[in-house]
Amino acid sequence: MTPARARLNEILVTLPSAGWLAVLFVVPALIVVAISFKPTDPLGGAGAGWTLDTLKSLGNPNYPAILWRTLWLSITTTALCILLATPVGYCLARLEKKWRQMVLLLVVVPFWTSFLIRIFAWKMLLHPEGIIKQALAGLGIVSPETPLLYNQWAVLLVMVYTFLPFAILPVYAAAEKFDFRLIEAARDLGARRFQAFCRVFLPGIRRGLFTALLIVFIPALGSYVIPDIVGGPGAEMLGNKIAQRVFVDRNLPHACALSLLLILAVLLPLTAVLALQGAREKARPIIEEGA
Amino acid sequence: MKRSLVPYCVTAAILVFFYLPILVLVVNSFNTSRFGGSWEGFSLVWYSRLLNHREIWHALTNSLVIAVSSSIVSVLLGTTAALALHRYATRLQKAHYMLIYTPLIMPEILMGISMLLFFIAAGMQLGLFTIFLAHVTFCISFVAMVVLGRLQDFDFSIIEAAQDLGANWWQATWKVLVPLLMPGLVAGGLLAFTLSIDDFVITFFVAGPGSTTLPIRIYSMIKHGSPPLINALSTILLAVTFAAVYISQHLLEDKT
Amino acid sequence: MNAPDFLEFKNVSRHFGSIRAVDQVSLSIRKGEFFSLLGPSGCGKTTLLRILAGFERPDTGCVILSGQDITQLPPNRRKVNTIFQSYALFPHLTVRDNIAFGLRIEKRPQREIDHEVERMLELIQMKAEAGKFPDTISGGQKQRVAIARALIKKPQVLLLDEPLAALDLKLRQRMLIELDLIHDEVGITFLYVTHDQGEAMSLSDRIAVMNSGIIEQVGTPAEIYEAPRSSFVAAFIGDTNFFEGRVAELIGNEYSRLVIDGFPDVTVFNDKQLAVNNLIYLSVRPEKFHISRERQEKSPRHNVVPGRVEEVIYQGSLTRYWVRVQEYRIAVTQQHSRFLLDEKPITWDENVWVSWHADDGFMLERYSQSDEQLVTLPE
């Protein structure tokens, strides 16, 4: 095949997907960036001309609190998910094949059930007349007046519930490849069980942990439905503010500026993790040579 | 060596954590009580009400139309994308890969708002068609990744063998490549279908009047409607999911 | 038969970026010949084969098959067929359908296809497995299906890309014999690509030895082994010892005396007609040496040098010695014609005499230091 013909073929197979995404993904993203430099039109939508006022208004005391809450909830969710996913991944990798398939399926099935329904299930449980509330109140752990629903803790709980399967899968995938004789070797060299777990198992599944971190943290930052359903006005996240600016105030420039903030919040940890991972991969041969 | 029981206990606890809410929901769908704080007797009243709920059936139809059409189109586009990415190692493909990869890590709400603004700017009427466009957009990347995974251990000398034996490009594609990639295409298509039928956030942004999908209907019922009806609907959806999982597991077992 | 230049490569080059995979290669192959391209991995032999099959286009040069320039034809319009290294059987088709594939593409009548497929199944003795899928048959059977699938197209040239590489030793030996039989039976030209000198030597009518994109030597297996033209061929095919020296004196028309730094003077057959003071490289194969405790009678055409055994490796049918002769450490192999223990074998640190006939040393036209790496040396 001549080079020109090969090039043409390449472009022909690339064009459908690249063209579609260029029009419906890249152009829309550029529109978001552009509109965040537009002034607000009091009648809704974007005004004429260009301005930096919209971006400056992000300094409005309202926003840092929401950004902070978004970060706090996402970081805590990610930490909890990884904390819980690690023993599950370990357990799955060590189970006999028959059991492993069963448990793995049980972990994955919630992922296939409707996202909204899982959130709704928790709303019903935490509801003042729901069974958790009834049970806790009955046992005298909480007073009947304490609301379980519509606060940050409810949001955190449901976020962990929703994202946990996503964390378990990469951790399990890494743990499955882990050579468990290494733990025996560590024990043989005098490590206690917990030491062996921390010093041999965790570094061994590092890649899985990094993947879990990104796979939970990024969608967590963009959460919108969970705080909307089980959080109250005091538990709003960045996503809720964006939706509110779009649907309630029709203040599109503000919505776009907030979106930029969210993109920034996504990109920072992403590049950090990728750089860290890259640096580690590069550093490894040197360490091994030295050892 | 004695193993620690801690991970096993944590796993068991997490499975309870996963299934307890679902179980309560299913039980409550048969409960006469409205909020399910207490058991007030078995009844199928919520199911019969659900059957007569015209709007839900309408939303389900919309969801199915969109899921089927968008998964077909995204399988086509995702597969060509995967073939291009696998076949060529040029700078164009590096950019192409970025383009395919970024939607995977983009929070849904951002895709929702950006496409909404695009449709407004383009003067398009929001409705089933805009939902279809949006769904294809986020499904392409998932399909491409699934098919790319399949291609990773695909022996391309098989295509050369077909050409060597006299097949032209078209024959090699249809008689060899497509049949061999079929499991990947089916897997990608099912993933796209699942993602599409379950999507709420993006759909919520780009839907217009009269284009309510099932997740949007469920959302408005959660916000304003009657909980027992959702319990009943959820139970039906869960049953469908579990049945699908069960059947697909059995099909897989037969194959291996 | 034997019409020369049935298949010709003329100045064929193919570059990948800055790598010259095939560099100005010209080669003619005769009709009905079993021709091998032999060389280490990355030497360009597979690229040359793929150029013939049509999967690669040469940057320059052309390929001519029975008088027709086929350089620009797509693979599906060339009358050559390939046995792929991985066999590349279609996993979704049965053995029968795999074999029928080529004829189905040609849209031949069903009856004819059935007939031809039956004939092929008979040839490869796989009638019983006709309905099986490729992943349920053994490696040797896959190989045979791949051969039948290509042969049914009645190609003018059958291309074989390392077809035995994926098989284990015993099976490889059996398939070697089968390939030979099939070649005799169908009588078409075989172009065989391999890195295994044993396969190439035992199957081929002629061999082209390739290295870094160029052809080092073309010849019959015996020519290539006994009279290598370059240090690469000498070292790649079998093992050898290299000596670096200077022609010091001509002995008659045919022989000359060489002075070698750090080695006694030796007599060699001077087929290259080199004059005095020419620098030369000499290759002597390990089995050409004879080793003994007693000094051999020195005749004018015999070299005899004293040495000391540094290493002995017993390998069953033969023993390998490494013998120190001044600054050289030479490899010698010796066969055992008698029961080893009756021989009182030569062992470490013994002083020995090494002798060889002047005709057994071969002067090389091209020499590269790096080729010494190809020779097996003791650690």
Side-chain angles (χ1 to χ4, degrees):
Chain A
M1 207 177 291
T2 59
R5 182 69 208 272
R7 186 76 185 158
L8 183 71
N9 276 354
E10 180 188 352
I11 289 171
L12 280 178
V13 254
T14 310
L15 199 63
S17 53
W20 185 290
L21 289 177
V23 174
L24 282 149
F25 182 72
V26 180
V27 172
L30 293 178
I31 292 178
V32 169
V33 176
I35 292 186
S36 56
F37 290 96
K38 289 274 185 187
T40 308
D41 184 340
L43 297 173
W50 302 95
T51 175
L52 283 175
D53 290 351
T54 318
L55 287 175
K56 281 184 191 150
S57 71
L58 290 180
N60 168 332
N62 217 338
Y63 293 131
I66 285 189
L67 181 63
W68 171 241
R69 189 184 301 130
T70 305
L71 286 176
W72 175 81
L73 281 171
S74 306
I75 291 171
T76 317
T77 302
T78 312
L80 285 173
C81 280
I82 289 180
L83 199 69
L84 293 172
T86 311
V88 177
Y90 176 91
C91 166
L92 275 169
R94 300 228 80 171
L95 277 176
E96 267 174 66
K97 198 167 180 232
K98 196 181 75 185
W99 285 98
R100 183 195 292 188
Q101 297 251 302
M102 260 276 288
V103 178
L104 195 60
L105 202 62
L106 285 175
V107 169
V108 175
V109 169
F111 164 75
W112 283 319
T113 59
S114 166
F115 169 65
L116 286 166
I117 284 173
R118 278 178 285 150
I119 302 172
F120 171 74
W122 276 104
K123 184 180 173 176
M124 286 295 98
L125 282 179
L126 298 174
H127 196 274
E129 288 169 51
I131 63 163
I132 288 195
K133 177 62 182 283
Q134 302 270 323
L136 291 179
L139 291 170
I141 297 172
V142 297
S143 68
E145 294 82 41
T146 318
L148 293 181
L149 205 52
Y150 307 127
N151 58 46
Q152 295 188 33
W153 303 105
V155 174
L156 184 64
L157 175 73
V158 179
M159 275 170 75
V160 171
Y161 180 76
T162 328
F163 292 124
L164 191 50
F166 294 94
I168 290 175
L169 289 182
V171 172
Y172 160 70
E176 198 206 1
K177 293 194 195 91
F178 181 77
D179 180 0
F180 281 97
R181 283 171 302 183
L182 293 179
I183 294 212
E184 286 168 15
R187 297 276 279 150
D188 182 64
L189 294 169
R192 274 177 285 119
R193 204 150 48 195
F194 187 65
Q195 281 177 317
F197 183 83
C198 293
R199 297 200 165 211
V200 179
F201 181 68
L202 291 186
I205 59 163
R206 191 178 62 226
R207 286 186 77 91
L209 294 176
F210 275 132
T211 311
L213 189 138
L214 289 180
I215 228 169
V216 173
F217 188 63
I218 292 174
L221 281 173
S223 292
Y224 156 60
V225 184
I226 296 170
D228 188 59
I229 294 179
V230 297
E236 272 183 335
M237 292 172 70
L238 215 45
N240 301 80
K241 263 289 174 263
I242 295 175
Q244 192 189 331
R245 290 284 173 269
V246 173
F247 294 114
V248 184
D249 318 341
R250 300 289 299 159
N251 188 338
L252 296 182
H254 257 125
C256 290
L258 286 169
S259 301
L260 285 190
L261 197 63
L262 181 54
I263 293 177
L264 204 67
V266 169
L267 284 183
L268 283 181
L270 186 69
T271 41
V273 168
L274 290 183
L276 195 69
Q277 224 171 0
R280 260 179 178 279
E281 295 304 313
K282 264 183 211 151
R284 201 164 49 177
I286 301 167
I287 294 166
E288 276 171 1
E289 268 166 29
Chain B
M1 189 171 68
K2 210 183 128 235
R3 284 186 197 161
S4 167
L5 284 177
V6 176
Y8 297 88
C9 297
V10 173
T11 308
I14 281 175
L15 286 178
V16 172
F17 173 60
F18 276 168
Y19 285 90
L20 182 71
I22 295 175
L23 196 68
V24 169
L25 193 136
V26 172
V27 170
N28 267 335
S29 73
F30 300 103
N31 190 348
T32 322
S33 150
R34 251 184 94 76
F35 282 100
S38 54
W39 183 255
E40 288 173 18
F42 180 87
S43 110
L44 288 174
V45 59
W46 309 115
Y47 288 89
S48 70
R49 283 218 202 146
L50 193 67
L51 280 176
N52 298 321
H53 206 296
R54 189 102 50 77
E55 285 165 327
I56 286 179
W57 297 107
H58 182 66
L60 178 64
T61 317
N62 279 344
S63 272
L64 285 174
V65 167
I66 288 167
V68 169
S69 56
S70 62
S71 45
I72 290 172
V73 174
S74 57
V75 163
L76 285 175
L77 294 172
T79 307
T80 56
L83 284 173
L85 289 174
H86 184 81
R87 185 78 197 252
Y88 304 99
T90 55
R91 226 175 298 158
L92 175 67
Q93 294 310 322
K94 266 191 192 148
H96 190 202
Y97 187 78
M98 281 291 288
L99 203 54
I100 297 283
Y101 191 77
T102 324
L104 293 176
I105 54 168
M106 186 69 111
E108 281 189 298
I109 191 161
L110 291 180
M111 286 188 75
I113 183 175
S114 62
M115 273 189 274
L116 169 68
L117 295 177
F118 172 78
F119 293 139
I120 292 173
M124 290 172 79
Q125 181 78 45
L126 296 180
L128 286 182
F129 184 62
T130 50
I131 298 176
F132 159 80
L133 290 178
H135 282 205
V136 172
T137 308
F138 73 78
C139 286
I140 289 176
S141 306
F142 287 94
V143 175
M145 289 299 158
V146 171
V147 178
L148 200 57
R150 277 274 161 179
L151 286 172
Q152 230 82 87
D153 39 43
F154 185 80
D155 179 8
F156 266 88
S157 59
I158 288 174
I159 301 299
E160 291 189 340
Q163 291 177 315
D164 189 72
L165 294 168
N168 57 31
W169 181 86
W170 191 247
Q171 288 167 321
T173 303
W174 285 103
K175 295 202 174 207
V176 180
L177 183 64
V178 171
L180 289 178
L181 274 189
M182 203 38 99
L185 302 187
V186 170
L190 284 178
L191 181 61
F193 185 88
T194 321
L195 289 169
S196 165
I197 207 150
D198 192 34
D199 180 75
F200 167 71
V201 179
I202 295 175
T203 317
F204 189 56
F205 276 84
V206 298
S211 63
T212 304
T213 62
L214 193 57
I216 293 188
R217 172 60 57 205
I218 293 174
Y219 175 77
S220 70
M221 283 166 78
I222 291 174
K223 281 288 206 181
H224 320 287
S226 134
L229 266 189
I230 312 171
N231 285 340
L233 179 59
S234 309
T235 305
I236 293 173
L237 290 178
L238 285 167
V240 171
T241 309
F242 277 85
V245 170
Y246 183 80
I247 291 167
S248 66
Q249 278 312 102
H250 264 251
L251 288 180
L252 278 179
E253 268 169 29
D254 285 351
K255 278 219 166 162
T256 47
Chain C
M1 281 304 271
N2 267 24
D5 307 345
F6 167 67
L7 168 63
E8 259 191 294
F9 291 91
K10 285 186 175 167
N11 290 320
V12 171
S13 291
R14 178 75 170 104
H15 298 191
F16 296 107
S18 61
I19 301 160
R20 295 173 172 193
V22 172
D23 194 8
Q24 294 284 325
V25 164
S26 292
L27 192 64
S28 334
I29 294 165
R30 298 176 197 132
K31 191 165 186 172
E33 197 170 26
F34 197 122
F35 194 95
S36 292
L37 290 172
L38 173 64
S41 57
C43 72
K45 55 190 194 299
T46 297
T47 307
L48 200 57
L49 177 115
R50 290 170 60 82
I51 286 173
L52 177 55
F55 301 126
E56 302 279 351
R57 291 285 157 86
D59 299 328
T60 60
C62 60
V63 184
I64 294 173
L65 179 61
S66 50
Q68 189 198 358
D69 185 340
I70 59 166
T71 320
Q72 299 304 324
L73 284 184
N76 50 323
R77 292 179 47 206
R78 297 179 180 215
K79 300 212 80 172
V80 298
N81 289 109
T82 311
I83 313 289
F84 291 82
Q85 183 169 2
S86 57
Y87 314 133
L89 296 182
F90 305 120
H92 62 302
L93 300 179
T94 59
V95 165
R96 181 188 301 278
D97 290 337
N98 260 285
I99 296 175
F101 188 89
L103 300 186
R104 294 236 165 94
I105 291 289
E106 286 178 27
K107 302 215 163 59
R108 297 267 198 92
Q110 188 60 43
R111 277 187 54 196
E112 192 189 328
I113 295 177
D114 290 342
H115 177 73
E116 290 290 312
V117 171
E118 283 311 308
R119 225 172 52 88
M120 280 298 155
L121 285 169
E122 224 160 277
L123 176 75
I124 59 168
Q125 296 171 11
M126 282 190 56
K127 282 201 152 177
E129 285 84 10
K132 289 190 179 171
F133 284 93
D135 54 0
T136 62
I137 60 178
S138 71
Q141 290 175 326
K142 282 182 196 166
Q143 163 87 67
R144 287 194 226 142
V145 175
I147 292 172
R149 189 179 68 172
L151 283 178
I152 201 167
K153 295 276 290 177
K154 299 206 169 69
Q156 294 185 331
V157 185
L158 184 68
L159 313 182
L160 301 103
D161 182 9
E162 304 250 9
L164 305 182
L167 303 178
D168 62 49
L169 185 68
K170 283 275 177 234
L171 198 53
R172 197 149 64 211
Q173 283 164 348
R174 228 182 61 212
M175 290 311 296
L176 218 55
I177 298 167
E178 276 187 37
L179 270 179
D180 211 15
L181 290 175
I182 289 175
H183 178 246
D184 289 347
E185 194 166 325
V186 297
I188 57 174
T189 313
F190 276 40
L191 183 63
Y192 190 94
V193 162
T194 183
H195 67 274
D196 184 311
Q197 42 161 313
E199 287 173 20
M201 295 289 231
S202 48
L203 289 170
S204 319
D205 296 320
R206 287 194 304 150
I207 298 174
V209 183
M210 281 190 80
N211 184 30
S212 347
I214 61 160
I215 291 185
E216 295 262 347
Q217 188 170 358
V218 181
T220 63
E223 279 167 2
I224 281 177
Y225 186 78
E226 298 291 340
R229 283 220 211 103
S230 65
S231 59
F232 175 78
V233 177
F236 186 72
I237 317 275
D239 253 340
T240 195
N241 297 283
F242 288 126
F243 301 92
E244 187 178 347
R246 181 173 58 80
V247 179
E249 180 195 346
L250 298 179
I251 307 170
N253 276 339
E254 292 188 313
Y255 293 89
S256 56
R257 186 168 58 86
L258 300 184
V259 178
I260 297 168
D261 259 0
F263 199 81
D265 291 0
V266 299
T267 308
V268 293
F269 180 57
N270 189 2
D271 68 325
K272 310 270 173 355
Q273 298 295 326
L274 295 171
V276 170
N277 277 338
N278 263 316
L279 295 178
I280 62 109
Y281 289 95
L282 178 70
S283 147
V284 186
R285 301 233 179 245
E287 75 277 8
K288 307 289 186 195
F289 290 122
H290 183 75
I291 184 172
S292 62
R293 289 200 183 85
E294 293 82 37
R295 183 177 179 147
Q296 311 281 303
E297 219 174 290
K298 182 161 180 168
S299 77
R301 291 188 191 165
H302 252 92
N303 298 294
V304 183
V305 298
R308 191 180 176 82
V309 175
E310 288 195 339
E311 193 78 61
V312 181
I313 297 175
Y314 174 66
Q315 291 176 324
S317 65
L318 43 80
T319 302
R320 238 179 141 84
Y321 300 93
W322 272 272
V323 181
R324 168 70 58 188
V325 180
Q326 293 182 17
E327 282 175 26
Y328 277 79
R329 193 181 205 206
I330 58 175
V332 177
T333 52
Q334 210 78 113
Q335 261 180 334
H336 308 295
S337 44
R338 294 192 49 207
F339 180 56
L340 182 74
L341 298 177
D342 292 345
E343 271 183 357
K344 262 189 81 191
I346 292 168
T347 180
W348 286 272
D349 286 337
E350 278 197 62
N351 289 314
V352 291
W353 292 94
V354 177
S355 62
W356 72 100
H357 194 275
D359 289 0
D360 288 338
F362 207 85
M363 290 195 273
L364 304 168
E365 286 168 13
R366 285 190 306 278
Y367 182 84
S368 157
Q369 205 83 48
S370 61
D371 292 332
E372 286 178 19
Q373 306 289 321
L374 295 168
V375 177
T376 325
L377 288 170
E379 288 305 312

